[in-house]
Amino acid sequence: MNPILISISLLVISNVFMTFAWYAHLKELNSAPWFVAAIISWLVASLEYMFQVPANRIGYAVFSVGQLKIIQEVITLSIFIPFAVFYLKEPLKLDYLWAGLCMIGAAYFMFRDKIS
């Protein structure tokens, strides 16, 4: 299978876990002490690393480390926005669009040598 698709797929999965690890406790464990939320978040985050580490190792064969980081950030924003809007019930703001446009710009600069 294509290492680009494998790497990106694993990064998507890892980002779903990390988004829940970082933010789901704000809704689900709101009344729990912070250290309980931290322990549960670390347990979820440990699953994230099981996908993130191989994603970066596989991706590093075809991407630079800077390109991997930008891919990670684009995926993070792509997962975070629906999570914030649909799971945490945050309002959808134009700020997400502006942030996305900035990420497109960042991706362009990191990948422009492969485009031209």
Side-chain angles (χ1 to χ4, degrees), residues 8-94:
I8 290 173
S9 297
L10 290 172
L11 286 172
V12 168
I13 295 167
S14 76
N15 263 279
V16 169
F17 280 112
M18 189 52 85
T19 300
F20 274 91
W22 283 12
Y23 301 106
H25 64 86
L26 298 173
K27 178 178 180 182
E28 301 302 329
L29 301 171
N30 196 0
S31 61
W34 73 265
F35 58 87
V36 171
I39 291 168
I40 292 171
S41 291
W42 270 100
L43 291 172
V44 175
S46 67
L47 294 171
E48 183 266 345
Y49 285 107
M50 299 305 287
F51 294 96
Q52 181 269 336
V53 171
N56 282 334
R57 291 177 69 95
I58 293 166
Y60 191 61
V62 291
F63 298 119
S64 71
V65 71
Q67 289 170 333
L68 276 170
K69 183 60 181 167
I70 291 301
I71 291 168
Q72 171 74 26
E73 295 302 329
V74 169
I75 292 169
T76 298
L77 189 60
S78 300
I79 289 172
F80 175 77
I81 293 170
F83 177 86
V85 171
F86 296 114
Y87 187 80
L88 294 178
K89 307 294 186 210
E90 294 282 324
L92 182 60
K93 298 193 264 184
L94 274 177

